[in-house]
Amino acid sequence: MARIKIAVIIGSTRAARFADKPARWIYDIASQRDDMTVEILDLRDYPMPFFDEVASNAWVPSENEVAQRWQKKVAEFDAYIFVTAEYNRSIPAVLKNALDYAYPEWNRKPVAAVGYGSVGAARAVEQLRLMAIELQMAPIRTGVHIQGADFMAVWKAGKEIADLPYLRQNAADMLDQLVWWTRALKTAREQPLLLDAA
Ligand SMILES: Cc1cc2nc3c(=O)[nH]c(=O)nc-3n(C[C@H](O)[C@H](O)[C@H](O)COP(=O)(O)O)c2cc1C
């Protein structure tokens, strides 16, 4: 069966970010599988202003050139893994902005999340799932949450995420579910959509 195309999207852009560690970790695990190809998308490479278009690109094409480049890139993938911190109990604003800057490109595709923080960004990931519904995405059940003492050990005490073996099984479960939903939705997207005729 053909490999699915997955983007790992790094949801934090600040200079001192922790995000690179979980992004690289999930990228390494996903790229060892033979059912997917994986690419890291770094929002630092897409420095979009806070949303400043006349409308969502669901209705009006965006004028900002970086936004256009972002939309084209997002469209290349079958599914997404967001690597997200929790900023004041939600996802970082830069990630919300990047979500707002595309619409048809996200539609009818599945989304998974790797969260990190005191509670593994669980609250942010739940909010991300609600946003995904409005973007007509399918949020999958299992997420990876690097949390509590484990997060602190990696953040401050030099431990590696790979030193936490239970997370590897957790990631495998998440990726298995992501593959199932990606194949199901890819097949479904090839069928005529009754909603479009309404
Ligand atoms: C503005 C801000 C708000 C934060 N709010 C939370 C929070 O609500 N929950 C949490 O677990 N950690 C919170 N933190 C701590 C982050 O988990 C920690 O700084 C993490 O490294 C942020 O991800 P990043 O380094 O990839 O940007 C916050 C950090 C910042 C900078």
Side-chain angles (χ1 to χ4, degrees), residues 12 14 17-19 85-89 116-118 123 151 155:
S12 161
R14 68 192 187 97
R17 72 184 179 192
F18 175 83
E86 187 169 277
Y87 285 3
N88 296 314
R89 300 199 176 189
Y116 53 91
S118 59
R123 296 165 294 212
F151 170 63
W155 191 23

Side-chain angles (χ1 to χ4, degrees), residues 16-167:
R17 72 184 179 192
F18 175 83
D20 293 292
K21 285 194 174 192
R24 174 54 59 178
W25 172 77
I26 193 68
Y27 172 85
D28 287 344
I29 291 174
S31 21
Q32 283 163 20
R33 296 175 61 117
D34 59 11
D35 51 5
M36 56 180 65
T37 60
V38 198
E39 185 175 331
I40 290 182
L41 300 192
D42 190 341
L43 295 181
R44 284 180 184 161
D45 297 329
Y46 298 88
M48 295 172 278
F50 274 117
F51 192 87
D52 191 22
E53 299 289 333
V54 294
S56 157
N57 75 324
W59 299 288
V60 181
S62 300
E63 290 196 353
N64 182 279
E65 285 178 8
V66 184
Q68 291 172 7
R69 190 161 58 79
W70 171 242
Q71 290 159 7
K72 263 195 200 145
K73 192 69 194 169
V74 169
E76 288 178 17
F77 298 94
D78 302 315
Y80 309 90
I81 300 170
F82 290 104
V83 176
T84 185
E86 187 169 277
Y87 285 3
N88 296 314
R89 300 199 176 189
S90 189
I91 61 171
V94 70
L95 176 55
K96 176 64 165 63
N97 199 45
L99 287 164
D100 293 340
Y101 260 115
Y103 189 81
E105 298 81 4
W106 301 122
N107 288 179
R108 303 178 191 111
K109 295 177 184 172
V111 52
V114 174
Y116 53 91
S118 59
V119 294
R123 296 165 294 212
V125 170
E126 285 303 292
Q127 292 196 31
L128 180 63
R129 289 185 170 120
L130 290 176
M131 295 167 202
I133 291 167
E134 182 56 24
L135 294 168
Q136 298 189 46
M137 304 180 87
I140 64 153
R141 175 177 179 265
T142 296
V144 175
H145 299 280
I146 305 161
Q147 60 189 307
D150 285 342
F151 170 63
M152 294 306 289
V154 178
W155 191 23
K156 300 283 188 199
K159 203 164 184 172
E160 296 296 326
I161 303 173
D163 297 336
L164 306 164
Y166 73 94
L167 285 178

